[in-house]
Amino acid sequence: MTEQEQALKVLRDQIDSIDKQIHVLMNQRAMCAQNVAEVKEQYQGEEVAVFYRPEREAQVLKRVMERNEGPLADKEVARLFREIMSVCLALEKPMRISFLGPEGTFTQQAALKHFGHSAESAPMATLDQVFREVEAGAAHYGVVPIENSSEGMATHTLDLFKRFSLRICGELELKIHHHLLAQENTDSELISRIYAHQESFAQCRSWLDANYPQAEHIVVSSNAEGARLAAQEVGTAAIAGDMAVDLYGLQILERNIEDQPDNSTRFLIIGDQDVGPSGDDKTSILMSAHDKPGVLYTLLEPFHRHGISLTRIETRPAKQGGWSYMFYIDFEGHADEEKVQNVLCELETSSVELKLLGSYPKAVL
């Protein structure tokens, strides 16, 4: 055995020993999670016990990142713990998560990022169905897009919050990287048609104009659907993400064709539970008010007076006639905090209607 082989053997033996310790500790954590489930069922009852606690998960992941000393990056360590937590939660209560399908969409990628791969992902044909599944109890939670950094708010999602009685339980952000995909061994110069969702075409407009000015743009319901069609048609490409490559057996002709390199989408987790304070939270509300001079000032002034920072405000027609408008507002803080309660009380007296959509932890990953 050479000196190199001897040195490598010592290191590999150390790795094997560490792996055994990790394995033992993971099983101990899993058994502890099972005990948590038993205690909850004993004192709360199996039907009403809440097994997934978004605020608790956010606190755990933040502590993981705070105590990390490297060489692994903070977020990489947090992702590893997210998967461990996902496996342990599945032992307590298997989770069913609805998302805007089909399989291979960025929304599914967001669901896996937030809940881990041990949760069951259930693709829905429309956003309405995602909301219905959760409200009916057929899914524990849903994942829906709310805004894109380059294209703005997902207005249909906002409208659905008015129709359905669901809570926002969490949020996450996902970096969006679009690739040009096609069948194996496709000559890129022979591409005559490109499939994509209309927002993806918008996010890749400049790149497409420069590289495929003659190609026909065919809008489909999702990028995953476009990838599925491209896998069946010669001379056709699709714009989609990493998940679609293996799922539909495609090759990547060009990577990261989005016009904005920092393109990202924010997603919301919807459910039927109120989430406790995590220490670093957001609150979202819907308000409707008649169009009259100073109405926006009346609605926003209490936030300034109580020192609460707004993170998002969006205006939508209330669809009630009489030129009424609906305001979607995100702001820092939790509904359990006194200053937030004071603002909400003031708004209830000045707005036509106020709907608290939920308080939830800020995105950790």
Side-chain angles (χ1 to χ4, degrees):
M1 183 180 296
T2 65
E3 290 185 6
Q4 176 182 324
E5 291 173 336
Q6 290 177 342
L8 289 174
K9 184 179 184 306
V10 170
L11 292 172
R12 287 166 180 160
D13 288 343
Q14 290 179 2
I15 290 174
D16 290 342
S17 176
I18 293 170
D19 285 347
K20 290 179 182 178
Q21 296 175 54
I22 293 173
H23 195 170
V24 170
L25 292 172
M26 284 196 300
N27 280 327
Q28 288 179 359
R29 193 191 194 285
M31 287 187 288
C32 200
Q34 289 178 315
N35 292 336
V36 167
E38 292 173 0
V39 170
K40 288 181 178 179
E41 291 175 0
Q42 178 183 351
Y43 289 96
Q44 302 175 22
E46 184 176 357
E47 296 300 321
V48 298
V50 178
F51 294 92
Y52 175 64
R53 297 288 300 275
E55 71 276 25
R56 163 70 176 165
E57 183 173 277
Q59 291 166 348
V60 170
L61 292 176
K62 285 177 183 176
R63 286 199 295 268
V64 166
M65 297 171 72
E66 288 170 358
R67 67 171 177 254
N68 183 46
E69 297 180 352
L72 294 176
D74 292 350
K75 289 191 174 182
E76 292 302 320
V77 175
R79 289 192 184 100
L80 290 173
F81 270 82
R82 168 63 56 77
E83 288 299 328
I84 293 173
M85 295 163 71
S86 176
V87 172
C88 292
L89 181 60
L91 291 174
E92 294 185 53
K93 181 75 172 182
M95 306 297 294
R96 188 171 192 266
I97 313 300
S98 64
F99 67 94
L100 180 61
E103 292 186 333
T105 61
F106 287 112
T107 311
Q108 183 183 24
Q109 189 175 337
L112 294 174
K113 178 181 179 181
H114 191 82
F115 289 98
H117 288 71
S118 294
E120 176 191 353
S121 297
M124 299 291 127
T126 65
L127 281 173
D128 301 55
Q129 290 181 14
V130 175
F131 276 76
R132 287 195 191 100
E133 283 283 295
V134 179
E135 189 168 76
H140 295 94
Y141 300 94
V143 180
V144 295
I146 189 63
E147 64 177 311
N148 177 266
S149 58
S150 60
E151 296 302 309
M153 296 296 289
T155 54
H156 186 45
T157 301
L158 293 183
D159 295 340
L160 289 171
F161 275 117
K162 185 168 179 62
R163 286 175 46 196
F164 291 88
S165 299
L166 293 176
R167 296 286 197 182
I168 301 174
C169 301
E171 67 168 3
L172 74 149
E173 294 182 2
L174 186 69
K175 288 286 186 182
I176 302 299
H177 294 299
H178 293 299
H179 311 315
L180 189 68
L181 311 179
Q183 294 178 355
E184 292 285 346
N185 302 317
T186 294
D187 186 343
S188 60
E189 295 183 358
L190 300 180
I191 297 296
S192 60
R193 296 182 306 279
I194 300 176
Y195 289 108
H197 188 275
Q198 59 185 4
E199 289 189 4
S200 297
F201 277 130
Q203 293 167 19
C204 304
R205 184 181 295 113
S206 297
W207 189 92
L208 291 171
D209 288 346
N211 293 275
Y212 288 91
Q214 304 303 322
E216 179 185 6
H217 293 181
I218 304 176
V219 175
V220 289
S221 59
S222 70
N223 287 342
E225 174 63 12
R228 185 187 69 81
L229 293 171
Q232 301 172 356
E233 300 177 12
V234 177
T236 298
I239 298 173
D242 290 315
M243 289 191 67
V245 178
D246 294 330
L247 188 61
Y248 298 102
L250 298 169
Q251 73 172 98
I252 299 177
L253 297 181
E254 293 287 345
R255 290 183 177 274
N256 302 347
I257 65 172
E258 62 274 5
D259 296 331
Q260 300 293 331
D262 58 349
N263 185 27
S264 63
T265 296
R266 178 176 167 237
F267 296 85
L268 296 177
I269 311 302
I270 57 174
D272 62 357
Q273 73 185 88
D274 291 323
V275 178
S278 72
D280 190 17
D281 302 290
K282 281 184 182 178
T283 297
S284 297
I285 59 175
L286 278 178
M287 293 188 297
S288 61
H290 291 299
D291 184 21
K292 59 183 181 180
V295 63
L296 188 57
Y297 174 82
T298 301
L299 297 178
L300 298 184
E301 189 276 334
F303 292 99
H304 173 72
R305 182 161 26 91
H306 289 277
I308 295 176
S309 297
L310 303 183
T311 59
R312 184 79 197 189
I313 180 169
E314 189 76 13
T315 306
R316 295 285 294 151
K319 300 181 180 179
Q320 296 174 340
W323 295 102
S324 295
Y325 288 90
M326 182 173 69
F327 297 90
Y328 169 87
I329 300 178
D330 290 334
F331 56 91
E332 294 184 350
H334 193 280
D336 286 353
E337 298 175 24
E338 183 178 0
K339 64 179 181 179
V340 174
Q341 291 178 353
N342 291 336
V343 167
L344 294 177
C345 287
E346 290 187 35
L347 292 175
E348 284 181 337
T349 63
S350 60
S351 61
V352 175
E353 180 184 357
L354 186 145
K355 184 176 185 180
L356 176 63
L357 299 181
S359 294
Y360 49 92
K362 291 182 182 178
V364 179
L365 294 177

